[in-house]
Amino acid sequence: MTTQQSSLARFFIPIVTALAIAISCGGREDAAGTNAAPDTPAVEKELASQPSARPAPGTVALRPSGTGRPPGVTRIVPENGANTIDLPEDFPADVPLHPDSRPVRYVSSQKSGTMTVLIVDESPDSARHYYTSALEGEGWTIDMDGASSDLLMLSASKRHRSLAVAIAEDDGETTITLIEGSE
C-alpha cells in the first residue's frame, strides 16, 4: 500500500464507521438538531393508525412525528426465523450485489443515503476483487482502494454519487457493507 493509500485508509475508517452508525441508528432529530433514539412505540402506534403506511413484514419505516411526509428512515431486517431480506425494488441497478451474497440488513435515510449489509461465503480478498471489477463495469470510478489489518475498503464515485465498500471477516463470514450517498 502506498503512503497516500495508507493515509486515505486511516481517514476512511472513521468515516465509514460514522456513516454506518448514523444510518443504522436513524432516529429522529430532536429540537436541538441532534439524533435522538426513535420512539418505537409511538412510531408503531402512528403506523397502526395509518393502514396504508404499514410497512411490509421485516421492514420498519420511521416518519417524523406529526408530519404527512414520507418515512424518513426505512430499515429492512430479517423477519423472525429468517436470515436474509429482500432488498427494495428501487435498489440502484448500478450498485453491484455480489452474486453469492445474502442481504441481511438495509437502511435508507433521506438525509444520509443507504447502507446495505451482505454476507458472502468467500474470502475478503476475493470479495474486494469482485467489487473492484464490478464497480468499474458499472461505470463507477475507484477513488480509493485500501486496507487496514482487519478491514478492506473501496471508495467509488459516479456523477454526484459516492459509494463506500467495507469488507471484513467476522466469525468465518465475510461481511460487505455498501454505503451509498450523494456528494
Side-chain angles (χ1 to χ4, degrees):
M1 183 181 329
T2 67
T3 304
Q4 181 183 14
Q5 286 176 322
S6 177
S7 174
L8 285 171
R10 282 190 296 258
F11 178 73
F12 190 78
I13 292 170
I15 291 173
V16 168
T17 303
L19 283 172
I21 290 168
I23 291 172
S24 66
C25 290
R28 65 180 190 285
E29 285 194 359
D30 61 18
T34 60
N35 278 341
D39 184 0
T40 303
V43 170
E44 289 173 359
K45 182 178 178 183
E46 180 180 346
L47 290 173
S49 70
Q50 301 172 5
S52 63
R54 182 171 290 289
T59 304
V60 176
L62 304 177
R63 75 177 68 242
S65 213
T67 69
R69 292 182 294 184
V73 176
T74 299
R75 293 185 187 131
I76 303 175
V77 297
E79 294 182 52
N80 288 339
N83 61 4
T84 63
I85 62 167
D86 291 326
L87 292 172
E89 291 179 15
D90 64 348
F91 190 86
D94 64 346
V95 173
L97 295 172
H98 192 286
D100 298 324
S101 66
R102 297 181 313 275
V104 295
R105 177 159 294 156
Y106 173 83
V107 180
S108 174
S109 168
Q110 292 171 341
K111 288 175 84 176
S112 304
T114 65
M115 180 180 75
T116 308
V117 179
L118 311 168
I119 303 292
V120 296
D121 293 325
E122 63 179 50
S123 73
D125 284 329
S126 178
R128 178 166 83 183
H129 177 72
Y130 167 79
Y131 271 94
T132 301
S133 175
L135 286 168
E136 289 173 343
E138 290 291 342
W140 292 86
T141 300
I142 305 293
D143 299 319
M144 195 272 297
D145 183 350
S148 69
S149 61
D150 57 353
L151 184 66
L152 304 176
M153 301 155 292
L154 296 170
S155 174
S157 59
K158 184 177 187 179
R159 295 184 201 103
H160 298 289
R161 295 166 54 211
S162 61
L163 181 67
V165 181
I167 304 168
E169 188 172 26
D170 187 33
D171 292 332
E173 290 184 321
T174 298
T175 302
I176 300 168
T177 303
L178 307 171
I179 301 174
E180 181 192 17
S182 298
E183 295 179 335

